[in-house]
Amino acid sequence: MGKLMIKEHRLSEFVWVVAVLVVAQLCGCISTHKPPASSEKYVFYPPGPDPPRLQFLVSFNDAETWLKKRSSFADFIVGEKKETRGVLKSPFGIAARDGKLYICDLGKDLIHIIDLGQKSYSVLGTPDQIQNPTSITIDTDGTKYVCDTKRRMVLVYDADDNFVGELGDPQRCAPLDLAIWGDELFVSDIDREHGGEIEVWSKEGKLLRTISSRGKGPDQLSWPMFLEIGPDGHLFVVDRDVAMVKEFDLKGNFIKTIGERGDIAGYFQTPKGIAIDPKGRLYVADSVWSNVQIFSSDGQILLVVGEPGTAPEGMGVLAGLAIDKTSLDVFGRFLSKDFEAEYLLFVVTQFGPYKMGKIGVYAFGHKK
């Protein structure tokens, strides 16, 4: 049985991606919407004179950025060292709810919890439960589902972050991401022998049906990564190997593809993370082009956000995305007084020119 170990591929992926990033920076091949220089007070996308729709707010790679400050004497008594706390090493998946950020860190084999409202930090689960967390999905009742590709299981935590149990069959499925619709769980399977499909489970872990099959045809999946279900009940799957997003209904009927391999707006090189806003707009992160592209619900390209770089708004090898309204107050001080925010977009950079991973925070909205 082929086992997935994402970490084993990091070094080779890093070398390859850095080379592509250098070429991208030299050629400017994908950045169709360059932001103003980072020395300006605010960074908007698209840049003027077009009306702004996203504002870059801040980026960080240390949870302590948002914590209540403690005295050095308290740190000495507790005996905690900064490197053992909330520093992000290689973040991958992310979820946000009720003013909290949950960040899956493949470099540390744990999930950081940043309570932005309470200004506190903790870790989800224990090392014997979580070994290689790639994604976390939060249900409407607060239940959390964590995909662990080393354990090849989905771990379940309740609304209070207590461990409940685990779902799946390690002999059959290697889950990387999960989406929820009603009482059904949609799980991307990247098992090397018989994966390349979406498994649909009950919330008790019973296999109900599968969607698609391994292959490179329009209605097949080669390497399904992150997935989301839109407000209309359609399933969108990022197929990394063929550089497309594929859309299905929840019964598994193929609808269409979005994008393909290319180096202009609307095309991808290595797509990974995906998020869908309340209006059905799709955000897709590309780990090679180091940008996030926004599409309408019918697949039309609307905007390209970001580019490689070491500035605070610069991106590197991107992974997960999350959309959230519950933390707007926390980041309000970064907003331009002329910009009205509707929700936040969190962008995970797994690693980049600055060596460490980070989280970029953007606000979607409009000019007042």
Side-chain angles (χ1 to χ4, degrees):
M1 181 67 61
K3 293 186 176 181
L4 171 71
M5 289 294 292
I6 287 180
K7 294 178 183 176
E8 294 176 1
H9 303 288
R10 284 192 193 139
L11 184 57
S12 60
E13 182 181 7
F14 177 77
V15 173
W16 177 67
V17 168
V18 168
V20 176
L21 288 177
V22 171
V23 174
Q25 286 178 301
L26 292 174
C27 299
C29 58
I30 191 72
S31 296
T32 59
H33 297 278
K34 277 195 172 185
S38 58
S39 60
E40 296 183 26
K41 186 175 182 181
Y42 300 112
V43 177
F44 291 105
Y45 301 90
D50 295 327
R53 297 315 309 268
L54 270 90
Q55 180 191 336
F56 167 76
L57 302 182
V58 68
S59 62
F60 65 93
N61 82 320
D62 187 348
E64 288 196 350
T65 302
W66 311 105
L67 304 190
K68 295 176 181 177
K69 298 300 182 182
R70 299 185 306 178
S71 69
S72 58
F73 178 75
D75 289 330
F76 172 76
I77 295 298
V78 174
E80 292 177 323
K81 295 182 179 180
K82 186 175 180 179
E83 63 266 25
T84 64
R85 292 170 57 85
V87 175
L88 308 179
K89 188 173 182 181
S90 182
F92 199 74
I94 187 170
R97 179 185 170 94
D98 298 332
K100 292 183 179 181
L101 291 180
Y102 295 80
I103 304 169
C104 300
D105 194 331
L106 296 181
K108 291 188 171 182
D109 295 327
L110 56 78
I111 297 178
H112 307 272
I113 305 176
I114 306 173
D115 190 324
L116 297 165
Q118 297 298 318
K119 300 185 184 301
S120 64
Y121 171 81
S122 58
V123 173
L124 185 68
T126 61
D128 62 318
Q129 293 168 5
I130 297 177
Q131 296 179 18
N132 196 217
T134 52
S135 68
I136 178 169
T137 306
I138 307 177
D139 203 350
T140 53
D141 64 358
T143 301
K144 298 158 191 75
Y145 297 88
V146 176
C147 291
D148 191 312
T149 54
K150 184 174 182 179
R151 295 198 56 203
R152 297 168 63 93
M153 298 290 286
V154 173
L155 314 177
V156 186
Y157 295 82
D158 66 17
D160 297 318
D161 298 336
N162 299 308
F163 180 66
V164 174
E166 52 191 33
L167 306 174
D169 180 355
Q171 301 302 313
R172 185 193 72 236
C173 180
L176 185 137
D177 192 23
L178 179 150
I180 304 169
W181 186 265
D183 294 327
E184 295 185 333
L185 309 177
F186 294 75
V187 183
S188 57
D189 179 14
I190 51 173
D191 182 88
R192 290 191 178 278
E193 291 187 5
H194 50 71
E197 63 186 12
I198 305 301
E199 291 198 351
V200 185
W201 303 353
S202 69
K203 288 187 175 178
E204 292 72 40
K206 180 182 178 182
L207 178 63
L208 303 176
R209 62 186 182 278
T210 60
I211 292 176
S212 191
S213 61
R214 181 180 290 281
K216 295 189 177 182
D219 59 346
Q220 294 181 300
L221 296 170
S222 178
W223 192 264
M225 294 283 289
F226 289 97
L227 60 152
E228 280 282 356
I229 298 176
D232 59 355
H234 285 186
L235 174 69
F236 295 85
V237 184
V238 175
D239 195 340
R240 188 195 69 180
D241 280 5
V242 297
M244 291 181 179
V245 175
K246 300 191 175 183
E247 182 181 354
F248 302 85
D249 69 21
L250 298 187
K251 297 300 182 182
N253 298 306
F254 172 73
I255 298 175
K256 68 175 181 290
T257 63
I258 297 174
E260 59 181 291
R261 199 173 305 281
D263 60 1
I264 61 174
Y267 291 71
F268 306 112
Q269 179 61 37
T270 305
K272 283 186 180 176
I274 185 172
I276 302 178
D277 77 2
K279 298 293 186 182
R281 289 177 286 248
L282 278 70
Y283 291 73
V284 183
D286 195 302
S287 66
V288 170
W289 296 142
S290 298
N291 62 26
V292 175
Q293 300 191 61
I294 307 175
F295 297 84
S296 64
S297 58
D298 59 359
Q300 299 301 308
I301 183 68
L302 300 176
L303 183 62
V304 179
V305 176
E307 61 182 351
T310 57
E313 71 273 14
M315 296 181 179
V317 177
L318 301 187
L321 302 173
I323 287 175
D324 177 51
K325 290 184 177 181
T326 65
S327 304
L328 279 169
D329 291 344
V330 175
F331 296 96
R333 70 180 188 271
F334 300 104
L335 281 168
S336 164
K337 61 181 177 58
D338 298 321
F339 192 73
E340 183 74 31
E342 298 177 27
Y343 57 78
L344 297 175
L345 171 70
F346 295 97
V347 179
V348 176
T349 291
Q350 190 176 2
F351 46 78
Y354 29 77
K355 298 182 182 179
M356 300 293 286
K358 68 174 184 177
I359 308 299
V361 187
Y362 299 75
F364 178 89
H366 58 274
K367 188 175 181 180
K368 292 181 180 178

